[in-house]
Amino acid sequence: MSTPDPDEIRALVQGVFEAWSSNDPDTVAARFHADAVFFDSVNGRFDGRDAIRTFYAGSLNAWDEQRSRATRIWVDGDTAACTWTMTGLMRTDKFGEELAGRRARIDGMAWIRFRDGLVIHDEEYFDRRAPLASLEGEGYLTHARA
């Protein structure tokens, strides 16, 4: 078995975040293996490409103009860890009624493992209070004042 090229893994990570920004559940699903696992620290675990597609389709009910991007990527073999930022217009009060109809930002971290160029395991972590903190001019890592 050959060691994956780190630049190739970085490109795969970028592709995953481009898919999350597509507003197209089929584009997102196409980045995942049929038996992939996706875990989101707020929304839970989704087993399989179809469940991941359904989760993403549902997220479009909460967000407009959703854009996601990896901000830093570290690679070890077929696995990447990254920090990421998601921005968009909140359509619902899922993260607080103050957010409905307003732009918000979430900063998070992910651990993504690939097989055959597709995601086989993706864990995403973020603070549920991050969107509200973004309205107050504070970020994920700076919401606590010293």
Side-chain angles (χ1 to χ4, degrees):
M1 177 188 282
S2 65
T3 303
D5 176 358
D7 290 334
E8 181 181 333
I9 298 298
R10 283 185 191 87
L12 290 171
V13 170
Q14 294 293 357
V16 169
F17 283 92
E18 288 170 11
W20 288 121
S21 297
S22 71
N23 297 310
D24 179 8
D26 292 327
T27 298
V28 170
R31 294 289 180 166
F32 288 82
H33 261 277
D35 57 347
V37 172
F38 174 75
F39 173 79
D40 175 313
S41 63
V42 171
N43 296 294
R45 179 181 167 141
F46 303 89
D47 293 316
R49 180 185 293 142
D50 292 337
I52 294 164
R53 183 198 180 286
T54 299
F55 160 72
Y56 180 72
S59 76
L60 295 176
N61 294 325
W63 292 88
D64 276 331
E65 303 170 25
Q66 179 182 335
R67 297 291 177 263
S68 297
R69 67 183 180 88
T71 53
R72 294 186 72 189
I73 303 170
W74 298 267
V75 175
D76 182 17
D78 64 355
T79 303
C82 68
T83 55
W84 53 261
T85 297
M86 184 178 90
T87 60
L89 181 67
M90 290 295 305
R91 297 176 70 192
T92 68
D93 62 358
K94 178 178 182 168
F95 292 101
E97 62 184 47
E98 314 89 272
L99 286 168
R102 297 183 69 186
R103 291 203 165 279
R105 170 182 167 160
I106 297 174
D107 295 305
M109 299 175 71
W111 178 71
I112 306 171
R113 189 165 44 93
F114 295 91
R115 183 191 308 151
D116 304 323
L118 297 173
V119 176
I120 190 67
H121 188 98
D122 184 349
E123 291 183 36
E124 307 275 336
Y125 296 93
F126 67 95
D127 185 336
R128 183 175 181 79
R129 297 170 307 205
L132 184 57
S134 75
L135 294 182
E136 298 166 351
E138 301 172 357
Y140 174 76
L141 297 176
T142 60
H143 67 270
R145 293 206 170 120

Coordinates of all heavy atoms in Angstrom, one line a residue, residues 21-84:
S21 N -20.3 23.9 0.5 CA -20.8 25.2 0.0 C -21.6 25.2 -1.2 O -22.1 26.2 -1.6 CB -19.5 26.1 -0.2 OG -18.7 26.2 0.9
S22 N -21.9 24.0 -1.8 CA -22.6 23.9 -3.1 C -24.1 24.1 -3.0 O -24.7 24.4 -4.0 CB -22.3 22.6 -3.7 OG -23.0 21.6 -3.0
N23 N -24.6 24.0 -1.8 CA -26.1 24.0 -1.6 C -26.8 22.9 -2.4 O -27.9 23.0 -2.8 CB -26.7 25.4 -2.0 CG -26.2 26.5 -1.0 OD1 -26.2 26.3 0.2 ND2 -25.6 27.5 -1.6
D24 N -26.1 21.8 -2.6 CA -26.6 20.7 -3.4 C -26.3 19.4 -2.6 O -25.1 19.0 -2.6 CB -25.9 20.6 -4.8 CG -26.4 19.5 -5.6 OD1 -27.4 18.8 -5.2 OD2 -25.8 19.3 -6.7
P25 N -27.3 18.8 -2.1 CA -27.1 17.5 -1.3 C -26.4 16.4 -2.1 O -25.6 15.6 -1.6 CB -28.5 17.1 -0.9 CG -29.3 18.4 -0.9 CD -28.7 19.2 -2.0
D26 N -26.7 16.3 -3.4 CA -26.0 15.3 -4.2 C -24.5 15.5 -4.4 O -23.8 14.6 -4.4 CB -26.7 15.2 -5.6 CG -28.1 14.7 -5.5 OD1 -28.4 13.8 -4.6 OD2 -29.0 15.1 -6.3
T27 N -24.1 16.8 -4.5 CA -22.7 17.1 -4.6 C -22.0 16.7 -3.3 O -20.9 16.2 -3.3 CB -22.5 18.6 -4.8 OG1 -23.1 18.9 -6.1 CG2 -21.1 19.0 -4.9
V28 N -22.6 17.0 -2.1 CA -22.1 16.6 -0.8 C -22.0 15.1 -0.8 O -20.9 14.5 -0.5 CB -22.9 17.2 0.3 CG1 -22.4 16.5 1.7 CG2 -22.8 18.7 0.4
A29 N -23.1 14.4 -1.1 CA -23.1 12.9 -1.0 C -22.0 12.3 -1.9 O -21.4 11.3 -1.5 CB -24.5 12.4 -1.3
A30 N -21.7 12.9 -3.0 CA -20.8 12.3 -3.9 C -19.3 12.3 -3.4 O -18.5 11.5 -3.9 CB -20.8 13.1 -5.2
R31 N -19.1 13.1 -2.3 CA -17.7 13.1 -1.7 C -17.5 12.0 -0.7 O -16.4 11.8 -0.1 CB -17.5 14.5 -1.0 CG -17.4 15.6 -2.0 CD -16.1 15.6 -2.8 NE -16.0 16.7 -3.7 CZ -14.9 17.0 -4.3 NH1 -13.8 16.3 -4.0 NH2 -14.9 18.0 -5.1
F32 N -18.6 11.3 -0.3 CA -18.6 10.3 0.7 C -18.7 8.9 0.2 O -19.5 8.6 -0.7 CB -19.7 10.6 1.7 CG -19.5 11.8 2.6 CD1 -19.7 13.0 2.2 CD2 -18.9 11.6 3.9 CE1 -19.5 14.2 2.9 CE2 -18.7 12.7 4.7 CZ -19.0 14.0 4.2
H33 N -18.0 7.9 0.8 CA -18.2 6.5 0.5 C -19.7 6.1 0.9 O -20.3 6.8 1.8 CB -17.3 5.7 1.4 CG -16.1 5.2 0.7 ND1 -16.0 4.1 -0.1 CD2 -14.8 5.7 0.7 CE1 -14.8 3.9 -0.6 NE2 -14.1 4.9 -0.1
A34 N -20.2 5.1 0.3 CA -21.5 4.6 0.6 C -21.7 4.3 2.1 O -22.7 4.5 2.7 CB -21.9 3.4 -0.3
D35 N -20.6 3.8 2.7 CA -20.7 3.4 4.1 C -19.9 4.3 5.1 O -19.5 4.0 6.2 CB -20.1 2.0 4.3 CG -18.7 1.8 3.8 OD1 -18.2 2.7 3.1 OD2 -18.1 0.7 4.1
A36 N -19.8 5.6 4.6 CA -19.1 6.6 5.5 C -19.9 6.9 6.7 O -21.1 6.7 6.8 CB -18.9 7.9 4.7
V37 N -19.1 7.4 7.7 CA -19.7 7.9 9.0 C -19.4 9.4 9.0 O -18.3 9.8 8.8 CB -19.1 7.2 10.2 CG1 -19.6 7.8 11.5 CG2 -19.5 5.7 10.2
F38 N -20.4 10.2 9.3 CA -20.3 11.6 9.6 C -20.8 11.9 11.0 O -21.9 11.5 11.3 CB -21.1 12.4 8.5 CG -21.1 13.9 8.8 CD1 -19.9 14.7 8.5 CD2 -22.2 14.5 9.3 CE1 -19.9 16.0 8.8 CE2 -22.2 15.9 9.6 CZ -21.1 16.6 9.3
F39 N -20.0 12.6 11.8 CA -20.4 13.0 13.1 C -20.3 14.5 13.3 O -19.2 15.1 12.9 CB -19.5 12.3 14.2 CG -19.8 12.8 15.6 CD1 -20.9 12.3 16.3 CD2 -19.0 13.7 16.1 CE1 -21.2 12.8 17.5 CE2 -19.2 14.2 17.4 CZ -20.3 13.8 18.1
D40 N -21.3 15.1 13.7 CA -21.4 16.5 14.0 C -21.7 16.7 15.5 O -22.6 16.2 16.0 CB -22.5 17.1 13.1 CG -22.8 18.6 13.3 OD1 -22.9 19.0 14.5 OD2 -22.9 19.3 12.3
S41 N -20.8 17.5 16.2 CA -20.9 17.6 17.6 C -22.3 18.2 18.1 O -22.6 18.0 19.3 CB -19.8 18.4 18.2 OG -19.8 19.7 17.7
V42 N -23.0 18.8 17.3 CA -24.3 19.4 17.6 C -25.4 18.6 17.1 O -26.4 18.3 17.8 CB -24.4 20.9 17.1 CG1 -25.8 21.4 17.3 CG2 -23.4 21.8 17.8
N43 N -25.3 18.0 15.9 CA -26.4 17.3 15.3 C -26.4 15.8 15.4 O -27.3 15.1 15.0 CB -26.5 17.7 13.8 CG -26.8 19.2 13.7 OD1 -27.9 19.7 14.1 ND2 -25.9 20.0 13.2
G44 N -25.2 15.2 15.8 CA -25.2 13.8 16.0 C -24.4 13.0 14.9 O -23.7 13.6 14.1
R45 N -24.7 11.7 14.8 CA -24.0 10.8 13.9 C -24.9 10.4 12.8 O -26.1 10.1 13.0 CB -23.6 9.6 14.7 CG -22.9 8.6 13.9 CD -22.5 7.4 14.8 NE -22.1 6.3 13.9 CZ -21.1 5.5 14.2 NH1 -20.4 5.6 15.3 NH2 -20.8 4.5 13.3
F46 N -24.3 10.3 11.6 CA -25.1 9.9 10.4 C -24.3 8.8 9.7 O -23.1 9.0 9.4 CB -25.3 11.1 9.5 CG -26.0 12.2 10.2 CD1 -25.3 13.2 10.9 CD2 -27.4 12.2 10.2 CE1 -26.0 14.2 11.6 CE2 -28.1 13.2 10.9 CZ -27.4 14.2 11.6
D47 N -24.9 7.6 9.6 CA -24.2 6.5 9.0 C -24.6 6.3 7.6 O -25.8 6.1 7.3 CB -24.5 5.2 9.8 CG -23.9 5.3 11.2 OD1 -22.8 5.7 11.3 OD2 -24.6 4.9 12.2
G48 N -23.7 6.3 6.6 CA -23.9 6.1 5.2 C -24.2 7.3 4.4 O -24.6 8.4 4.9
R49 N -23.9 7.2 3.2 CA -24.0 8.3 2.2 C -25.4 8.9 2.2 O -25.6 10.1 2.2 CB -23.6 7.9 0.8 CG -23.7 9.0 -0.2 CD -23.4 8.5 -1.6 NE -22.0 8.1 -1.7 CZ -21.6 7.0 -2.4 NH1 -22.4 6.2 -3.0 NH2 -20.3 6.7 -2.5
D50 N -26.4 8.0 2.2 CA -27.8 8.5 2.1 C -28.2 9.3 3.3 O -28.9 10.4 3.2 CB -28.8 7.3 1.9 CG -28.6 6.7 0.6 OD1 -28.1 7.3 -0.4 OD2 -29.0 5.5 0.4
A51 N -27.8 8.9 4.5 CA -28.1 9.6 5.8 C -27.3 11.0 5.8 O -27.9 12.0 6.2 CB -27.7 8.8 7.0
I52 N -26.1 11.0 5.3 CA -25.3 12.2 5.2 C -26.0 13.2 4.2 O -26.2 14.4 4.5 CB -23.9 11.9 4.8 CG1 -23.2 11.1 5.9 CG2 -23.1 13.2 4.5 CD1 -21.9 10.5 5.5
R53 N -26.5 12.7 3.1 CA -27.2 13.5 2.1 C -28.5 14.1 2.8 O -28.7 15.3 2.6 CB -27.6 12.7 0.9 CG -28.2 13.5 -0.2 CD -29.0 12.7 -1.2 NE -29.6 13.5 -2.2 CZ -30.7 14.3 -2.0 NH1 -31.2 14.3 -0.8 NH2 -31.2 15.0 -3.0
T54 N -29.2 13.3 3.5 CA -30.4 13.7 4.1 C -30.1 14.8 5.2 O -30.8 15.8 5.3 CB -31.2 12.6 4.7 OG1 -31.5 11.6 3.7 CG2 -32.5 13.0 5.5
F55 N -29.1 14.6 6.0 CA -28.7 15.6 7.0 C -28.4 16.9 6.3 O -28.9 18.0 6.7 CB -27.5 15.1 7.7 CG -26.7 16.2 8.4 CD1 -27.3 16.9 9.5 CD2 -25.5 16.7 7.9 CE1 -26.6 17.9 10.1 CE2 -24.8 17.8 8.5 CZ -25.4 18.4 9.6
Y56 N -27.6 16.9 5.2 CA -27.2 18.1 4.5 C -28.4 18.8 3.9 O -28.6 20.0 4.0 CB -26.1 17.9 3.5 CG -25.7 19.2 2.8 CD1 -25.0 20.1 3.4 CD2 -26.1 19.4 1.5 CE1 -24.6 21.3 2.8 CE2 -25.8 20.6 0.9 CZ -25.1 21.6 1.5 OH -24.7 22.7 0.9
A57 N -29.3 18.0 3.3 CA -30.5 18.6 2.7 C -31.3 19.3 3.8 O -31.8 20.4 3.6 CB -31.3 17.5 2.1
G58 N -31.4 18.7 5.0 CA -32.1 19.4 6.1 C -31.4 20.6 6.6 O -32.1 21.6 7.0
S59 N -30.1 20.7 6.5 CA -29.4 21.9 7.0 C -29.7 23.1 6.1 O -29.6 24.2 6.5 CB -27.9 21.6 7.1 OG -27.3 21.6 5.8
L60 N -30.1 22.8 4.8 CA -30.4 23.9 3.9 C -31.7 24.6 4.3 O -31.9 25.7 3.9 CB -30.5 23.4 2.5 CG -29.2 22.8 1.9 CD1 -29.4 22.3 0.5 CD2 -28.1 23.9 1.8
N61 N -32.5 23.9 5.2 CA -33.7 24.6 5.7 C -33.3 25.6 6.8 O -34.1 26.5 7.1 CB -34.6 23.6 6.3 CG -35.2 22.6 5.3 OD1 -35.4 23.0 4.2 ND2 -35.4 21.4 5.7
A62 N -32.1 25.5 7.3 CA -31.7 26.4 8.4 C -30.8 27.6 7.9 O -30.7 28.6 8.5 CB -31.0 25.7 9.5
W63 N -30.1 27.3 6.8 CA -29.1 28.3 6.3 C -29.4 28.7 4.8 O -29.7 27.9 4.0 CB -27.7 27.7 6.3 CG -27.1 27.4 7.7 CD1 -27.3 26.3 8.4 CD2 -26.3 28.3 8.4 NE1 -26.6 26.4 9.6 CE2 -26.0 27.6 9.6 CE3 -25.8 29.6 8.2 CZ2 -25.2 28.2 10.6 CZ3 -25.0 30.1 9.2 CH2 -24.7 29.5 10.3
D64 N -29.1 29.9 4.5 CA -29.1 30.4 3.1 C -27.6 30.9 2.9 O -27.0 31.3 3.9 CB -30.0 31.6 2.9 CG -31.4 31.2 2.6 OD1 -31.6 30.1 2.0 OD2 -32.3 32.0 2.9
E65 N -27.2 30.8 1.7 CA -25.9 31.3 1.3 C -24.7 30.7 2.2 O -23.8 31.4 2.5 CB -25.8 32.9 1.4 CG -26.8 33.5 0.5 CD -26.9 35.0 0.8 OE1 -26.0 35.6 1.3 OE2 -28.0 35.6 0.6
Q66 N -24.9 29.4 2.5 CA -23.9 28.8 3.3 C -22.6 28.6 2.6 O -22.6 28.1 1.5 CB -24.5 27.4 3.7 CG -23.5 26.6 4.6 CD -24.1 25.2 4.9 OE1 -25.3 25.0 4.9 NE2 -23.2 24.3 5.1
R67 N -21.5 29.0 3.2 CA -20.2 28.9 2.6 C -19.3 28.3 3.7 O -19.2 28.8 4.8 CB -19.6 30.2 2.1 CG -20.4 30.8 1.0 CD -20.3 30.0 -0.3 NE -21.1 30.6 -1.3 CZ -22.3 30.2 -1.7 NH1 -22.9 29.2 -1.0 NH2 -23.0 30.7 -2.6
S68 N -18.5 27.2 3.3 CA -17.6 26.6 4.2 C -16.2 26.5 3.6 O -16.1 26.3 2.4 CB -18.1 25.2 4.6 OG -19.3 25.2 5.2
R69 N -15.2 26.7 4.4 CA -13.9 26.5 3.9 C -12.9 26.1 5.0 O -13.1 26.4 6.2 CB -13.3 27.8 3.3 CG -13.1 29.0 4.2 CD -12.7 30.2 3.5 NE -12.4 31.3 4.5 CZ -11.3 31.5 5.1 NH1 -10.3 30.8 4.9 NH2 -11.2 32.5 6.0
A70 N -12.0 25.2 4.6 CA -10.9 24.8 5.5 C -9.9 25.9 5.6 O -9.5 26.5 4.6 CB -10.3 23.5 5.0
T71 N -9.6 26.3 6.8 CA -8.7 27.4 7.0 C -7.2 27.0 7.3 O -6.3 27.7 6.9 CB -9.1 28.3 8.2 OG1 -9.4 27.5 9.3 CG2 -10.4 29.0 7.8
R72 N -7.1 25.8 7.9 CA -5.7 25.2 8.1 C -5.9 23.7 8.0 O -6.9 23.1 8.5 CB -5.1 25.5 9.4 CG -4.8 27.0 9.6 CD -4.1 27.4 10.8 NE -2.7 26.9 10.7 CZ -1.9 26.8 11.7 NH1 -2.3 27.3 12.9 NH2 -0.7 26.4 11.6
I73 N -4.9 23.0 7.4 CA -5.0 21.6 7.2 C -3.7 20.9 7.6 O -2.7 21.4 7.2 CB -5.4 21.2 5.7 CG1 -6.6 21.9 5.2 CG2 -5.4 19.7 5.5 CD1 -6.9 21.8 3.7
W74 N -3.8 19.8 8.4 CA -2.7 19.0 8.7 C -2.9 17.6 8.2 O -4.1 17.1 8.4 CB -2.5 19.0 10.3 CG -2.2 20.3 10.9 CD1 -1.0 20.8 11.1 CD2 -3.2 21.3 11.3 NE1 -1.2 22.1 11.7 CE2 -2.5 22.4 11.9 CE3 -4.6 21.3 11.4 CZ2 -3.1 23.5 12.4 CZ3 -5.2 22.4 11.9 CH2 -4.5 23.5 12.4
V75 N -1.9 17.0 7.6 CA -2.1 15.7 7.0 C -1.2 14.6 7.6 O 0.0 14.9 7.9 CB -1.9 15.8 5.5 CG1 -1.9 14.4 4.8 CG2 -2.8 16.7 4.8
D76 N -1.8 13.4 7.8 CA -1.0 12.3 8.3 C -1.5 11.1 7.5 O -2.6 10.6 7.9 CB -1.1 12.1 9.8 CG -0.3 10.9 10.3 OD1 0.6 10.5 9.6 OD2 -0.6 10.5 11.4
G77 N -0.8 10.6 6.5 CA -1.3 9.5 5.7 C -2.6 9.8 5.0 O -2.7 10.8 4.3
D78 N -3.6 9.0 5.2 CA -4.9 9.2 4.6 C -5.9 10.0 5.4 O -7.1 10.1 5.1 CB -5.5 7.8 4.2 CG -5.9 7.0 5.5 OD1 -5.5 7.5 6.6 OD2 -6.5 6.0 5.4
T79 N -5.4 10.7 6.4 CA -6.2 11.4 7.4 C -5.8 12.9 7.4 O -4.6 13.2 7.4 CB -6.1 10.8 8.8 OG1 -6.5 9.4 8.7 CG2 -7.0 11.5 9.8
A80 N -6.7 13.8 7.6 CA -6.5 15.2 7.7 C -7.2 15.7 8.9 O -8.3 15.3 9.2 CB -6.9 16.0 6.5
A81 N -6.6 16.6 9.6 CA -7.2 17.4 10.7 C -7.3 18.8 10.1 O -6.3 19.3 9.4 CB -6.5 17.4 12.0
C82 N -8.3 19.6 10.4 CA -8.4 20.9 9.9 C -9.2 21.8 10.8 O -10.1 21.3 11.5 CB -8.9 21.0 8.4 SG -10.6 20.5 8.3
T83 N -9.0 23.1 10.7 CA -9.9 24.1 11.2 C -10.7 24.6 10.0 O -10.3 24.5 8.9 CB -9.1 25.3 11.9 OG1 -8.2 25.8 10.9 CG2 -8.4 24.8 13.1
W84 N -11.9 25.0 10.3 CA -12.8 25.5 9.3 C -13.7 26.6 9.7 O -13.9 26.8 10.9 CB -13.7 24.3 8.7 CG -14.5 23.6 9.7 CD1 -14.1 22.4 10.2 CD2 -15.7 23.9 10.3 NE1 -15.1 21.9 11.1 CE2 -16.1 22.9 11.2 CE3 -16.6 25.0 10.2 CZ2 -17.3 22.9 11.9 CZ3 -17.8 25.0 10.9 CH2 -18.1 24.0 11.8

